[in-house]
Amino acid sequence: MDILIVKLSSLGDVVHAMPALQDLRAARPDARIDWVVERAFAPLVRRCEGVNRVIELQMRRWRKAPLAPVTRQEWRAFRQELQAHPYDAVLDLQGLTKSALVAHTSRLAAGGRRFALANRTDGSSYEAPTRWVADVAVRVPARSHAVQRSRELCAAALGYELPPVLHYGLRAEPQRDPADARPCIAFVHGTSRDDKCWPQDHWIDLGRRLVGEGFSIGLPHGSEAERQRSEAMAAAIGPHAHVWPRLDLGALADRLAACAGVVGVDSGLSHIAVALALPHVQIYNFDTAWRTGPDVPGVPPGRQRSVYGSPCPSPAAVWDAWRAVSPR
């Protein structure tokens, strides 16, 4: 059976779709599964067990200049690659116009069908074209975790029961920072929305507490503003805090996998930490952990925890959560 997964972006959403693919593999061991994704996230998807072929696109860039010659040329090349193989099932796990376009552009095998969400779920984006393009629209509970939403769509589309245990299937080869003589805790302080950030002085407070417990602090960054914040935090925490170099997603997953744990805001890197089953505390300024947090049906509780506070959790609350999940 040949299956195409359409989940284009963003980083957290891509990670949240990985368990659905692992369910598919368990239910259909003979399945050949391809995945369409934005080029920036392709290195991570290639590390997901069971992905046969990663088909890259650059929809975000193309939309900025849809009529440019380079855009038309790249779209034709993408369409040619996408249609090189027919699929028995095309699964639109995104629920947006852009994913509906990709699903519609794909080629079906004889008797093949396109599946998509029939409804919006609470707190998530949804656009009607995904339902119009689908041969079968699958209704899922309105209050669904992002991971569970994709799992339920795939199970309903292909007619199998959800496994009781959830797996992400994300492979990593731990690469320790040579500057770290101590076990490292990564601080994922960057996020796409400023209102999800945790105050810098709170990070410094937590970092000093962790250094006092014998840890070092690793500070990844994905933008110039995040790099500057990482450097300011490292200077304030002291010599056991290190700013990581800019890494692609594959190398970043390897660096995270070598850490003793992760503390992070609601962001893609935090969701990678969840997928790698690291001790992890996820910080929420809004009561939305039920939708994107580490407490996912099928995952045994204990090593990962979310902390919510308004306007934000205190350093003491995050520290207590860390002590609850840390193996030390």
Side-chain angles (χ1 to χ4, degrees), residues 44-95:
L44 201 69
V45 174
R46 288 192 174 92
R47 290 165 173 262
C48 184
E49 294 177 0
V51 176
N52 172 69
R53 184 170 63 123
V54 178
I55 304 171
E56 301 178 14
L57 82 170
Q58 300 186 77
M59 187 76 76
R60 290 178 170 180
R61 183 165 66 82
W62 295 341
R63 286 189 299 181
K64 294 177 181 178
L67 301 180
V70 66
T71 299
R72 296 200 301 269
Q73 180 182 356
E74 290 176 355
W75 172 259
R76 284 194 297 268
F78 163 72
R79 185 176 59 192
Q80 183 176 7
E81 183 180 7
L82 180 64
Q83 295 178 344
H85 192 84
Y87 294 99
D88 300 296
V90 176
L91 302 166
D92 178 0
L93 305 186
Q94 193 97 47

Side-chain angles (χ1 to χ4, degrees), residues 7-327:
K7 189 72 166 184
L8 310 180
S9 59
S10 56
L11 177 54
D13 293 335
V14 168
V15 175
H16 287 149
M18 290 180 176
L21 186 143
Q22 305 311 316
D23 294 345
L24 281 170
R25 294 178 66 212
R28 302 285 186 270
D30 61 336
R32 178 180 178 272
I33 306 172
D34 296 346
W35 188 324
V36 186
V37 71
E38 282 279 352
R39 177 168 294 175
F41 310 122
L44 201 69
V45 174
R46 288 192 174 92
R47 290 165 173 262
C48 184
E49 294 177 0
V51 176
N52 172 69
R53 184 170 63 123
V54 178
I55 304 171
E56 301 178 14
L57 82 170
Q58 300 186 77
M59 187 76 76
R60 290 178 170 180
R61 183 165 66 82
W62 295 341
R63 286 189 299 181
K64 294 177 181 178
L67 301 180
V70 66
T71 299
R72 296 200 301 269
Q73 180 182 356
E74 290 176 355
W75 172 259
R76 284 194 297 268
F78 163 72
R79 185 176 59 192
Q80 183 176 7
E81 183 180 7
L82 180 64
Q83 295 178 344
H85 192 84
Y87 294 99
D88 300 296
V90 176
L91 302 166
D92 178 0
L93 305 186
Q94 193 97 47
L96 299 176
T97 300
K98 62 181 180 180
S99 58
L101 174 62
V102 171
H104 179 69
T105 304
S106 66
R107 183 158 66 98
L108 293 180
R113 293 187 295 177
R114 295 180 176 90
F115 299 87
L117 292 164
N119 61 295
R120 179 181 177 273
T121 55
D122 293 349
S124 297
S125 299
Y126 181 81
E127 294 170 350
T130 190
R131 186 170 61 247
W132 302 339
V133 166
D135 298 300
V136 179
V138 176
R139 181 164 291 277
V140 298
R143 189 175 176 88
S144 295
H145 192 284
V147 169
Q148 199 70 358
R149 181 177 72 166
S150 292
R151 295 183 76 202
E152 291 186 4
L153 189 157
C154 292
L158 298 183
Y160 59 82
E161 296 292 328
L162 285 181
V165 179
L166 177 149
H167 299 286
Y168 283 84
L170 180 60
R171 300 185 300 264
E173 299 178 1
Q175 300 290 331
R176 187 167 182 174
D177 185 343
D180 284 338
R182 297 175 166 205
C184 179
I185 308 300
F187 277 5
V188 177
H189 58 87
T191 179
S192 59
R193 283 174 43 187
D194 289 345
D195 57 0
K196 289 184 177 182
C197 287
W198 204 41
Q200 190 166 309
D201 61 331
H202 287 16
W203 285 112
I204 294 168
D205 182 310
L206 181 65
R208 289 172 175 170
R209 294 191 194 209
L210 288 165
V211 167
E213 293 284 311
F215 293 101
S216 67
I217 305 301
L219 295 160
H221 56 89
S223 67
E224 178 60 22
E226 290 176 12
R227 183 189 65 78
Q228 293 178 8
R229 187 162 65 239
S230 290
E231 290 179 347
M233 289 163 57
I237 293 170
H240 294 296
H242 309 287
V243 179
W244 289 357
R246 186 82 174 265
L247 302 168
D248 71 26
L249 286 175
L252 191 51
D254 290 341
R255 183 67 66 86
L256 286 174
C259 289
V262 175
V263 179
V265 294
D266 177 16
S267 75
L269 293 189
S270 286
H271 302 312
I272 291 175
V274 173
L276 294 174
L278 296 169
H280 175 49
V281 175
Q282 201 164 114
I283 298 168
Y284 282 83
N285 300 338
F286 303 94
D287 189 13
T288 55
W290 63 267
R291 180 167 55 86
T292 59
D295 302 320
V296 185
V299 175
R303 288 173 60 86
Q304 300 175 338
R305 180 170 295 192
S306 61
V307 180
Y308 161 66
S310 181
C312 66
S314 67
V318 175
W319 173 250
D320 288 343
W322 168 254
R323 303 227 2 148
V325 303
S326 173

